[in-house]
């Protein structure tokens, strides 16, 4: 298993996927942070928020990097199907279960690295954008907990993309599914039926990075929902991968 993990780790760093997703994650984070700083400037003038809450909002904006983490996981798996290399990977790894586990673990590790970069950049962006609007940044316990939640969701987004990649096998279909579900289905369902929408992956992740949504679950239940979605995706991925032809 150690050799399989090492091989998959080397694959994760090969090609352009890792640095493209890193750039996408940084762009999304900086875009969100600049927008949050601009909104805080207006809200502080209106008296609807203060510098402490505004600082936490800028940190929270970095949750958007989870999209890049998710897409990296999807591409990490599906590019082998697209290149026709998946059969060779199965043969060299010794078993399908071992390959599935190795790719999921390595994908999660890459997600953790991307989360570490975002966690480093979030406070820096606060002290970059707030002075542009003449606001003094104020770090607080809420900002620290938000930063911890941002790290967690970006890390967990990677295995979500990996497992959906194993299920769908096609790169375009997996990426389209992730974008539609993340950006429209989960949020739309929560807007229409919050009693049901709070059990979706995206809304549960929102609880982890302390996004105050209507009827959102408490943190322990949100973590259980995320774990349940990952477990369901893992079960389905393993069942399909071990029973269907590898083509």
């Amino acid at each position: 298993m150690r050799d399989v993990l090492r091989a998959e780790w080397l694959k994760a760093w090969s090609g352009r996927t890792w640095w493209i997703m890193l750039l996408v994650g940084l762009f999304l984070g900086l875009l969100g942070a600049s927008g949050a700083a601009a909104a805080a400037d207006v809200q502080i003038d209106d008296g609807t928020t203060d510098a402490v809450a505004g600082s936490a909002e800028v940190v929270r904006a970095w949750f958007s990097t989870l999209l890049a983490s998710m897409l990296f996981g999807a591409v990490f798996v599906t590019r082998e199907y697209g290149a026709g290399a998946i059969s060779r990977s199965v043969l060299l790894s010794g078993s399908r279960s071992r390959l599935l586990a190795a790719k999921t673990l390595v994908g999660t590790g890459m997600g953790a690295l991307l989360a570490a970069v975002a966690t480093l950049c979030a406070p820096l962006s606060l002290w970059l954008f707030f002075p542009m609007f003449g606001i003094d940044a104020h770090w607080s316990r809420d900002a620290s907990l938000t930063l911890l939640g941002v790290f967690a969701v970006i890390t967990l987004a990677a295995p979500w993309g990996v497992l959906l990649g194993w299920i769908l096998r096609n790169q375009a279909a997996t990426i389209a599914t992730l974008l539609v579900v993340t950006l429209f289905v989960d949020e739309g369902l929560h807007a229409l039926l919050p009693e049901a929408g709070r059990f979706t992956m995206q809304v549960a992740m929102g609880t982890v990075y302390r996004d105050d949504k209507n009827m959102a679950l408490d943190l322990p239940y949100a973590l259980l929902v995320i774990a349940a979605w990952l477990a369901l995706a893992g079960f389905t991925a393993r069942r399909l991968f071990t029973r269907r032809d590898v083509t």
Side-chain angles (χ1 to χ4, degrees):
M1 186 64 182
R2 183 180 302 175
D3 291 339
V4 182
L5 284 170
R6 186 181 298 115
E8 292 303 322
W9 182 252
L10 291 175
K11 287 180 188 176
W13 291 98
S14 66
R16 295 174 291 183
T17 303
W18 71 270
W19 63 262
I20 289 175
M21 291 306 168
L22 175 62
L23 291 179
V24 169
L26 289 173
F27 172 76
L28 292 173
L30 288 171
L31 185 66
S34 62
D41 180 47
V42 175
Q43 292 170 351
I44 290 173
D45 289 342
D46 293 342
T48 55
T49 191
D50 55 27
V52 175
S55 298
E57 283 295 330
V58 172
V59 172
R60 185 174 296 112
W62 280 84
F63 83 89
S64 56
T65 305
L66 71 85
L67 196 60
S69 180
M70 203 178 285
L71 294 179
F72 173 84
V75 173
F76 183 44
V77 172
T78 55
R79 68 180 178 182
E80 292 215 24
Y81 282 100
I86 189 68
S87 300
R88 184 175 57 191
S89 296
V90 170
L91 290 174
L92 293 175
S93 63
S95 77
R96 298 186 186 192
S97 297
R98 185 181 295 180
L99 179 62
L100 187 146
K103 275 200 180 294
T104 304
L105 288 173
V106 170
T108 304
M110 292 296 286
L113 288 179
L114 188 56
V117 173
T119 303
L120 177 65
C121 291
L124 296 178
S125 69
L126 177 61
W127 276 282
L128 171 66
F129 292 120
F130 262 22
M132 294 182 182
F133 296 97
I135 307 171
D136 293 327
H138 290 273
W139 197 261
S140 62
R141 180 176 178 273
D142 185 36
S144 297
L145 293 175
T146 300
L147 190 63
L148 183 61
V150 167
F151 178 87
V153 297
I154 295 173
T155 301
L156 293 173
W160 181 238
V162 168
L163 295 171
L164 287 183
W166 282 119
I167 294 171
L168 297 176
R169 298 187 172 196
N170 180 276
Q171 192 167 103
T174 306
I175 290 174
T177 300
L178 284 170
L179 291 176
V180 170
V181 171
T182 302
L183 300 178
F184 301 106
V185 176
D186 287 4
E187 296 291 342
L189 181 61
H190 181 259
L192 293 173
L193 293 171
E195 298 90 347
R198 60 182 178 168
F199 293 102
T200 61
M201 176 66 101
Q202 186 60 34
V203 176
M205 283 184 168
T207 297
V208 177
Y209 58 80
R210 300 171 70 80
D211 188 16
D212 188 21
K213 287 184 180 296
N214 180 34
M215 296 187 69
L217 296 169
D218 292 335
L219 181 60
Y221 297 107
L223 291 173
L224 284 175
V225 168
I226 293 171
W229 277 112
L230 289 175
L232 177 62
F235 172 79
T236 306
R238 187 179 185 283
R239 187 177 180 86
L240 293 176
F241 187 50
T242 55
R243 294 193 174 195
R244 293 166 62 186
D245 290 338
V246 182
T247 55

